[in-house]
Amino acid sequence: MTTPQHPSFPPRRPGRGPHAEEGDGRAVGHVPVDAHGTRDGRHEADHGHGAGSGHGAGDSHGAGDSHGAGGGHGAGGGHGHSHGHGPAAPVSRHLRKVIAAILIPFAAAVVVGLAVLWPGGAPPHERTGVGFDRQTQQATVTKVVELSCQSVNASGGTPTGDTSTAEGSSAVQQAEGECKRATIRVDTGDDKGRTFDEIVQPDQSRQLHEGQKVVVAYEPSAPKDLQYSVTDINRRLPLALLAGIFALAVVVVGRLRGLMALVSLAISFLLLNFFILPAILQGSNPLVVAVIGSSAIMLIALYLCHGLSARTSVAVLGTLISLLLIGVLGSLFIGWAALTGNTDDNTGLIHGLYPSIDMSGLLLAGVIIGSLGVLDDVTVTQTSAVWELHEANPTMGWRGLYRAGIRIGRDHIASVVNTLVLAYAGAALPLLLLFSIAQSGVGTVANSELVAEEIVRTLVGSIGLVASVPVTTALAALVVSADRPAQGQGAAAGAGAGASARGGRGRRRKR
């Protein structure tokens, strides 16, 4: 298609002499026209109301051509119309091939890794009855009776210790306070319907009441009257209700995009429960498992939520590079700081049950998986920002796009790093309180392995997040600025860019 030659701007306006007719060269409604051929500060061709001969100065083919409707292309009260040629291609075929050449082998490697390391379920083991490794059943509190603590305590004597200490105060409450005898009925398992009693001390943080749903632990080797004990409260109903409210809010606000986000979240949990955790328990390298599992989650979540496009592919590349950086830095500093990953009762129990698991590798896997969610947010936001900047000004080169995008990214860096640090600090708040009570110095606290793990986790993840901003912005700027559409699409895009730069209302192209 040959692009028509437009007259120089401003166009010559015939019929403007003193003897011109009333309707010559004027739009319907007598819209005032200034000396430069504009109408109320806008170019007349922007809305398609042609006032001069030939094409208006700002009409654009492909993004919406503007022609005078009255008398062909001539003057006189015509109403403009648009000839759209459809949305432009996202990027050129050459760039799509380059991106595919990078991402298709990567996706294939992830699929092969999933197939090779797929565990087929967690390995069986004998339950220890300790911590989370206990057999549990659901139960209900059927009756609660108050009685004197002195009548149920074994010693029966009045304590004479120092009541200013926690132990002394607790002993006095147990001796002189009012206790409760709760009758609990087992609702699941082989002993369904069986009841047992449990004494609730007045200083216990968890008090039972009639009708309450609880979780009970079962120890078959214990005497019959001591086989069951209350271990926790059944919170399934409030948690399920909260999850339903969350899902409803996401779908109502996000609509189809929100629904896809929920689907990707469900797939992420499935991969975590059926691949990552069992594969680590089977003895596979935790770092390799975490990298393959995180990559699969990243590919599914990003493409499912944001569509199969060049924009999403750039975000995937930025996320992948940042994850590799986090893995390298995490491996280096976890080894240098001699962090074992075995710092509390839970990790000690895991190490006791499965001695072959590399606990430091498990720590590094946690760093990678924990950083993935925030990385997705940063890379998608930066890629979208660069694409929108290019949409607003298609003439901007990659340097200008990068500089504009990085200015947006600096604000994102500040908020994301602060979010990550506060998230880890909030999770470790009880531990920090203990150090505060002990009046330990900052150096002593930071040097302890329990806190050093959180410091390494936070700083390594934050470095990866910070690096993802310039990396993703540079990739997006290079891809967008290097786009070379086909000739017909290029003519349409160029004309649309002219109309957009002059404030026109051409059709917005999808990318």
PDB file of all heavy atoms in Angstrom, residues 302-332:
ATOM      1  N   LEU A 302       3.352 -16.878  34.959  1.00  0.00           N
ATOM      2  CA  LEU A 302       3.467 -15.681  34.125  1.00  0.00           C
ATOM      3  C   LEU A 302       2.677 -15.817  32.830  1.00  0.00           C
ATOM      4  O   LEU A 302       1.920 -14.908  32.455  1.00  0.00           O
ATOM      5  CB  LEU A 302       4.933 -15.397  33.828  1.00  0.00           C
ATOM      6  CG  LEU A 302       5.758 -14.864  35.005  1.00  0.00           C
ATOM      7  CD1 LEU A 302       7.199 -14.627  34.590  1.00  0.00           C
ATOM      8  CD2 LEU A 302       5.164 -13.579  35.555  1.00  0.00           C
ATOM      9  N   TYR A 303       2.836 -16.928  32.122  1.00  0.00           N
ATOM     10  CA  TYR A 303       2.127 -17.069  30.852  1.00  0.00           C
ATOM     11  C   TYR A 303       0.626 -17.263  31.047  1.00  0.00           C
ATOM     12  O   TYR A 303      -0.176 -16.806  30.222  1.00  0.00           O
ATOM     13  CB  TYR A 303       2.709 -18.226  30.045  1.00  0.00           C
ATOM     14  CG  TYR A 303       4.019 -17.888  29.386  1.00  0.00           C
ATOM     15  CD1 TYR A 303       5.189 -18.555  29.722  1.00  0.00           C
ATOM     16  CD2 TYR A 303       4.087 -16.878  28.433  1.00  0.00           C
ATOM     17  CE1 TYR A 303       6.391 -18.232  29.118  1.00  0.00           C
ATOM     18  CE2 TYR A 303       5.288 -16.551  27.823  1.00  0.00           C
ATOM     19  CZ  TYR A 303       6.430 -17.228  28.176  1.00  0.00           C
ATOM     20  OH  TYR A 303       7.631 -16.900  27.588  1.00  0.00           O
ATOM     21  N   LEU A 304       0.237 -17.912  32.128  1.00  0.00           N
ATOM     22  CA  LEU A 304      -1.187 -18.113  32.373  1.00  0.00           C
ATOM     23  C   LEU A 304      -1.873 -16.801  32.763  1.00  0.00           C
ATOM     24  O   LEU A 304      -3.002 -16.523  32.349  1.00  0.00           O
ATOM     25  CB  LEU A 304      -1.387 -19.158  33.477  1.00  0.00           C
ATOM     26  CG  LEU A 304      -2.806 -19.699  33.688  1.00  0.00           C
ATOM     27  CD1 LEU A 304      -3.306 -20.373  32.413  1.00  0.00           C
ATOM     28  CD2 LEU A 304      -2.834 -20.685  34.843  1.00  0.00           C
ATOM     29  N   CYS A 305      -1.183 -15.982  33.542  1.00  0.00           N
ATOM     30  CA  CYS A 305      -1.788 -14.733  34.018  1.00  0.00           C
ATOM     31  C   CYS A 305      -1.672 -13.606  33.006  1.00  0.00           C
ATOM     32  O   CYS A 305      -2.570 -12.758  32.922  1.00  0.00           O
ATOM     33  CB  CYS A 305      -1.137 -14.299  35.335  1.00  0.00           C
ATOM     34  SG  CYS A 305      -1.478 -15.391  36.722  1.00  0.00           S
ATOM     35  N   HIS A 306      -0.575 -13.556  32.247  1.00  0.00           N
ATOM     36  CA  HIS A 306      -0.316 -12.396  31.402  1.00  0.00           C
ATOM     37  C   HIS A 306      -0.319 -12.714  29.908  1.00  0.00           C
ATOM     38  O   HIS A 306      -0.114 -11.806  29.102  1.00  0.00           O
ATOM     39  CB  HIS A 306       1.037 -11.774  31.780  1.00  0.00           C
ATOM     40  CG  HIS A 306       1.119 -11.396  33.224  1.00  0.00           C
ATOM     41  ND1 HIS A 306       0.489 -10.293  33.740  1.00  0.00           N
ATOM     42  CD2 HIS A 306       1.744 -11.993  34.276  1.00  0.00           C
ATOM     43  CE1 HIS A 306       0.731 -10.213  35.047  1.00  0.00           C
ATOM     44  NE2 HIS A 306       1.484 -11.236  35.392  1.00  0.00           N
ATOM     45  N   GLY A 307      -0.550 -13.956  29.541  1.00  0.00           N
ATOM     46  CA  GLY A 307      -0.683 -14.295  28.140  1.00  0.00           C
ATOM     47  C   GLY A 307       0.640 -14.648  27.487  1.00  0.00           C
ATOM     48  O   GLY A 307       1.716 -14.288  27.968  1.00  0.00           O
ATOM     49  N   LEU A 308       0.536 -15.358  26.364  1.00  0.00           N
ATOM     50  CA  LEU A 308       1.710 -15.781  25.614  1.00  0.00           C
ATOM     51  C   LEU A 308       2.103 -14.651  24.672  1.00  0.00           C
ATOM     52  O   LEU A 308       1.574 -14.529  23.565  1.00  0.00           O
ATOM     53  CB  LEU A 308       1.407 -17.060  24.833  1.00  0.00           C
ATOM     54  CG  LEU A 308       2.578 -17.773  24.173  1.00  0.00           C
ATOM     55  CD1 LEU A 308       3.556 -18.264  25.219  1.00  0.00           C
ATOM     56  CD2 LEU A 308       2.080 -18.938  23.327  1.00  0.00           C
ATOM     57  N   SER A 309       3.009 -13.794  25.104  1.00  0.00           N
ATOM     58  CA  SER A 309       3.394 -12.619  24.322  1.00  0.00           C
ATOM     59  C   SER A 309       4.864 -12.316  24.555  1.00  0.00           C
ATOM     60  O   SER A 309       5.506 -12.873  25.455  1.00  0.00           O
ATOM     61  CB  SER A 309       2.548 -11.403  24.729  1.00  0.00           C
ATOM     62  OG  SER A 309       2.797 -11.050  26.076  1.00  0.00           O
ATOM     63  N   ALA A 310       5.395 -11.406  23.714  1.00  0.00           N
ATOM     64  CA  ALA A 310       6.788 -10.996  23.876  1.00  0.00           C
ATOM     65  C   ALA A 310       6.991 -10.279  25.187  1.00  0.00           C
ATOM     66  O   ALA A 310       8.036 -10.402  25.822  1.00  0.00           O
ATOM     67  CB  ALA A 310       7.196 -10.099  22.706  1.00  0.00           C
ATOM     68  N   ARG A 311       5.991  -9.508  25.613  1.00  0.00           N
ATOM     69  CA  ARG A 311       6.107  -8.795  26.888  1.00  0.00           C
ATOM     70  C   ARG A 311       6.291  -9.772  28.041  1.00  0.00           C
ATOM     71  O   ARG A 311       7.169  -9.591  28.885  1.00  0.00           O
ATOM     72  CB  ARG A 311       4.845  -7.953  27.108  1.00  0.00           C
ATOM     73  CG  ARG A 311       4.872  -7.150  28.392  1.00  0.00           C
ATOM     74  CD  ARG A 311       3.534  -6.502  28.689  1.00  0.00           C
ATOM     75  NE  ARG A 311       3.095  -5.618  27.622  1.00  0.00           N
ATOM     76  CZ  ARG A 311       2.171  -4.681  27.787  1.00  0.00           C
ATOM     77  NH1 ARG A 311       1.609  -4.511  28.966  1.00  0.00           N
ATOM     78  NH2 ARG A 311       1.808  -3.920  26.773  1.00  0.00           N
ATOM     79  N   THR A 312       5.470 -10.822  28.073  1.00  0.00           N
ATOM     80  CA  THR A 312       5.604 -11.822  29.132  1.00  0.00           C
ATOM     81  C   THR A 312       6.933 -12.558  29.026  1.00  0.00           C
ATOM     82  O   THR A 312       7.561 -12.883  30.046  1.00  0.00           O
ATOM     83  CB  THR A 312       4.445 -12.817  29.047  1.00  0.00           C
ATOM     84  OG1 THR A 312       3.205 -12.107  29.031  1.00  0.00           O
ATOM     85  CG2 THR A 312       4.449 -13.758  30.246  1.00  0.00           C
ATOM     86  N   SER A 313       7.382 -12.830  27.805  1.00  0.00           N
ATOM     87  CA  SER A 313       8.644 -13.543  27.627  1.00  0.00           C
ATOM     88  C   SER A 313       9.822 -12.738  28.159  1.00  0.00           C
ATOM     89  O   SER A 313      10.759 -13.299  28.737  1.00  0.00           O
ATOM     90  CB  SER A 313       8.857 -13.855  26.141  1.00  0.00           C
ATOM     91  OG  SER A 313       7.825 -14.693  25.657  1.00  0.00           O
ATOM     92  N   VAL A 314       9.788 -11.425  27.974  1.00  0.00           N
ATOM     93  CA  VAL A 314      10.853 -10.584  28.527  1.00  0.00           C
ATOM     94  C   VAL A 314      10.832 -10.645  30.049  1.00  0.00           C
ATOM     95  O   VAL A 314      11.881 -10.716  30.699  1.00  0.00           O
ATOM     96  CB  VAL A 314      10.690  -9.135  28.025  1.00  0.00           C
ATOM     97  CG1 VAL A 314      11.645  -8.201  28.764  1.00  0.00           C
ATOM     98  CG2 VAL A 314      10.966  -9.059  26.535  1.00  0.00           C
ATOM     99  N   ALA A 315       9.628 -10.619  30.648  1.00  0.00           N
ATOM    100  CA  ALA A 315       9.531 -10.746  32.110  1.00  0.00           C
ATOM    101  C   ALA A 315      10.068 -12.089  32.579  1.00  0.00           C
ATOM    102  O   ALA A 315      10.728 -12.181  33.625  1.00  0.00           O
ATOM    103  CB  ALA A 315       8.076 -10.572  32.553  1.00  0.00           C
ATOM    104  N   VAL A 316       9.820 -13.154  31.814  1.00  0.00           N
ATOM    105  CA  VAL A 316      10.352 -14.474  32.164  1.00  0.00           C
ATOM    106  C   VAL A 316      11.877 -14.466  32.127  1.00  0.00           C
ATOM    107  O   VAL A 316      12.542 -14.991  33.039  1.00  0.00           O
ATOM    108  CB  VAL A 316       9.788 -15.536  31.197  1.00  0.00           C
ATOM    109  CG1 VAL A 316      10.539 -16.859  31.351  1.00  0.00           C
ATOM    110  CG2 VAL A 316       8.310 -15.760  31.456  1.00  0.00           C
ATOM    111  N   LEU A 317      12.457 -13.862  31.099  1.00  0.00           N
ATOM    112  CA  LEU A 317      13.915 -13.800  31.002  1.00  0.00           C
ATOM    113  C   LEU A 317      14.511 -12.997  32.155  1.00  0.00           C
ATOM    114  O   LEU A 317      15.523 -13.395  32.746  1.00  0.00           O
ATOM    115  CB  LEU A 317      14.312 -13.163  29.666  1.00  0.00           C
ATOM    116  CG  LEU A 317      14.128 -14.023  28.416  1.00  0.00           C
ATOM    117  CD1 LEU A 317      14.443 -13.211  27.166  1.00  0.00           C
ATOM    118  CD2 LEU A 317      15.001 -15.261  28.474  1.00  0.00           C
ATOM    119  N   GLY A 318      13.897 -11.859  32.487  1.00  0.00           N
ATOM    120  CA  GLY A 318      14.390 -11.068  33.614  1.00  0.00           C
ATOM    121  C   GLY A 318      14.302 -11.825  34.925  1.00  0.00           C
ATOM    122  O   GLY A 318      15.214 -11.769  35.758  1.00  0.00           O
ATOM    123  N   THR A 319      13.197 -12.545  35.135  1.00  0.00           N
ATOM    124  CA  THR A 319      13.047 -13.351  36.359  1.00  0.00           C
ATOM    125  C   THR A 319      14.078 -14.459  36.415  1.00  0.00           C
ATOM    126  O   THR A 319      14.668 -14.733  37.472  1.00  0.00           O
ATOM    127  CB  THR A 319      11.628 -13.937  36.418  1.00  0.00           C
ATOM    128  OG1 THR A 319      10.664 -12.890  36.300  1.00  0.00           O
ATOM    129  CG2 THR A 319      11.401 -14.670  37.731  1.00  0.00           C
ATOM    130  N   LEU A 320      14.321 -15.120  35.285  1.00  0.00           N
ATOM    131  CA  LEU A 320      15.293 -16.219  35.245  1.00  0.00           C
ATOM    132  C   LEU A 320      16.698 -15.734  35.577  1.00  0.00           C
ATOM    133  O   LEU A 320      17.409 -16.360  36.388  1.00  0.00           O
ATOM    134  CB  LEU A 320      15.264 -16.866  33.856  1.00  0.00           C
ATOM    135  CG  LEU A 320      16.297 -17.958  33.597  1.00  0.00           C
ATOM    136  CD1 LEU A 320      16.100 -19.119  34.555  1.00  0.00           C
ATOM    137  CD2 LEU A 320      16.220 -18.428  32.149  1.00  0.00           C
ATOM    138  N   ILE A 321      17.122 -14.614  34.985  1.00  0.00           N
ATOM    139  CA  ILE A 321      18.461 -14.080  35.267  1.00  0.00           C
ATOM    140  C   ILE A 321      18.587 -13.706  36.746  1.00  0.00           C
ATOM    141  O   ILE A 321      19.612 -13.987  37.387  1.00  0.00           O
ATOM    142  CB  ILE A 321      18.734 -12.863  34.370  1.00  0.00           C
ATOM    143  CG1 ILE A 321      18.818 -13.306  32.904  1.00  0.00           C
ATOM    144  CG2 ILE A 321      20.030 -12.170  34.768  1.00  0.00           C
ATOM    145  CD1 ILE A 321      18.900 -12.154  31.924  1.00  0.00           C
ATOM    146  N   SER A 322      17.544 -13.105  37.319  1.00  0.00           N
ATOM    147  CA  SER A 322      17.586 -12.711  38.733  1.00  0.00           C
ATOM    148  C   SER A 322      17.631 -13.936  39.640  1.00  0.00           C
ATOM    149  O   SER A 322      18.332 -13.938  40.658  1.00  0.00           O
ATOM    150  CB  SER A 322      16.370 -11.845  39.063  1.00  0.00           C
ATOM    151  OG  SER A 322      16.332 -10.697  38.242  1.00  0.00           O
ATOM    152  N   LEU A 323      16.888 -14.993  39.281  1.00  0.00           N
ATOM    153  CA  LEU A 323      16.929 -16.221  40.080  1.00  0.00           C
ATOM    154  C   LEU A 323      18.316 -16.857  40.045  1.00  0.00           C
ATOM    155  O   LEU A 323      18.797 -17.374  41.068  1.00  0.00           O
ATOM    156  CB  LEU A 323      15.893 -17.216  39.564  1.00  0.00           C
ATOM    157  CG  LEU A 323      14.438 -17.009  40.003  1.00  0.00           C
ATOM    158  CD1 LEU A 323      13.545 -18.058  39.367  1.00  0.00           C
ATOM    159  CD2 LEU A 323      14.317 -17.079  41.519  1.00  0.00           C
ATOM    160  N   LEU A 324      18.963 -16.841  38.902  1.00  0.00           N
ATOM    161  CA  LEU A 324      20.324 -17.379  38.811  1.00  0.00           C
ATOM    162  C   LEU A 324      21.275 -16.581  39.704  1.00  0.00           C
ATOM    163  O   LEU A 324      22.136 -17.160  40.386  1.00  0.00           O
ATOM    164  CB  LEU A 324      20.799 -17.344  37.359  1.00  0.00           C
ATOM    165  CG  LEU A 324      20.108 -18.308  36.399  1.00  0.00           C
ATOM    166  CD1 LEU A 324      20.609 -18.099  34.973  1.00  0.00           C
ATOM    167  CD2 LEU A 324      20.331 -19.753  36.826  1.00  0.00           C
ATOM    168  N   LEU A 325      21.125 -15.257  39.707  1.00  0.00           N
ATOM    169  CA  LEU A 325      21.964 -14.426  40.571  1.00  0.00           C
ATOM    170  C   LEU A 325      21.722 -14.742  42.042  1.00  0.00           C
ATOM    171  O   LEU A 325      22.669 -14.856  42.835  1.00  0.00           O
ATOM    172  CB  LEU A 325      21.679 -12.950  40.290  1.00  0.00           C
ATOM    173  CG  LEU A 325      22.429 -11.942  41.166  1.00  0.00           C
ATOM    174  CD1 LEU A 325      23.934 -12.075  40.977  1.00  0.00           C
ATOM    175  CD2 LEU A 325      21.973 -10.520  40.856  1.00  0.00           C
ATOM    176  N   ILE A 326      20.450 -14.907  42.420  1.00  0.00           N
ATOM    177  CA  ILE A 326      20.131 -15.249  43.810  1.00  0.00           C
ATOM    178  C   ILE A 326      20.724 -16.603  44.173  1.00  0.00           C
ATOM    179  O   ILE A 326      21.267 -16.792  45.277  1.00  0.00           O
ATOM    180  CB  ILE A 326      18.603 -15.243  44.007  1.00  0.00           C
ATOM    181  CG1 ILE A 326      18.070 -13.812  43.946  1.00  0.00           C
ATOM    182  CG2 ILE A 326      18.217 -15.876  45.344  1.00  0.00           C
ATOM    183  CD1 ILE A 326      16.561 -13.723  43.977  1.00  0.00           C
ATOM    184  N   GLY A 327      20.642 -17.566  43.271  1.00  0.00           N
ATOM    185  CA  GLY A 327      21.207 -18.883  43.553  1.00  0.00           C
ATOM    186  C   GLY A 327      22.709 -18.847  43.746  1.00  0.00           C
ATOM    187  O   GLY A 327      23.248 -19.476  44.666  1.00  0.00           O
ATOM    188  N   VAL A 328      23.415 -18.090  42.898  1.00  0.00           N
ATOM    189  CA  VAL A 328      24.881 -17.998  43.011  1.00  0.00           C
ATOM    190  C   VAL A 328      25.277 -17.298  44.307  1.00  0.00           C
ATOM    191  O   VAL A 328      26.132 -17.780  45.068  1.00  0.00           O
ATOM    192  CB  VAL A 328      25.463 -17.261  41.788  1.00  0.00           C
ATOM    193  CG1 VAL A 328      26.937 -16.965  41.999  1.00  0.00           C
ATOM    194  CG2 VAL A 328      25.263 -18.092  40.530  1.00  0.00           C
ATOM    195  N   LEU A 329      24.657 -16.144  44.593  1.00  0.00           N
ATOM    196  CA  LEU A 329      24.994 -15.410  45.811  1.00  0.00           C
ATOM    197  C   LEU A 329      24.619 -16.200  47.061  1.00  0.00           C
ATOM    198  O   LEU A 329      25.371 -16.231  48.043  1.00  0.00           O
ATOM    199  CB  LEU A 329      24.274 -14.060  45.818  1.00  0.00           C
ATOM    200  CG  LEU A 329      24.791 -12.994  44.845  1.00  0.00           C
ATOM    201  CD1 LEU A 329      23.930 -11.749  44.931  1.00  0.00           C
ATOM    202  CD2 LEU A 329      26.242 -12.653  45.149  1.00  0.00           C
ATOM    203  N   GLY A 330      23.448 -16.839  47.036  1.00  0.00           N
ATOM    204  CA  GLY A 330      23.027 -17.624  48.194  1.00  0.00           C
ATOM    205  C   GLY A 330      23.967 -18.775  48.470  1.00  0.00           C
ATOM    206  O   GLY A 330      24.352 -19.023  49.621  1.00  0.00           O
ATOM    207  N   SER A 331      24.362 -19.497  47.426  1.00  0.00           N
ATOM    208  CA  SER A 331      25.282 -20.614  47.608  1.00  0.00           C
ATOM    209  C   SER A 331      26.620 -20.135  48.157  1.00  0.00           C
ATOM    210  O   SER A 331      27.213 -20.774  49.049  1.00  0.00           O
ATOM    211  CB  SER A 331      25.472 -21.337  46.275  1.00  0.00           C
ATOM    212  OG  SER A 331      26.381 -22.391  46.403  1.00  0.00           O
ATOM    213  N   LEU A 332      27.112 -19.007  47.645  1.00  0.00           N
ATOM    214  CA  LEU A 332      28.403 -18.486  48.081  1.00  0.00           C
ATOM    215  C   LEU A 332      28.383 -18.077  49.550  1.00  0.00           C
ATOM    216  O   LEU A 332      29.249 -18.494  50.346  1.00  0.00           O
ATOM    217  CB  LEU A 332      28.792 -17.286  47.209  1.00  0.00           C
ATOM    218  CG  LEU A 332      30.054 -16.520  47.609  1.00  0.00           C
ATOM    219  CD1 LEU A 332      31.272 -17.429  47.514  1.00  0.00           C
ATOM    220  CD2 LEU A 332      30.231 -15.284  46.733  1.00  0.00           C
TER     221      LEU A 332
END
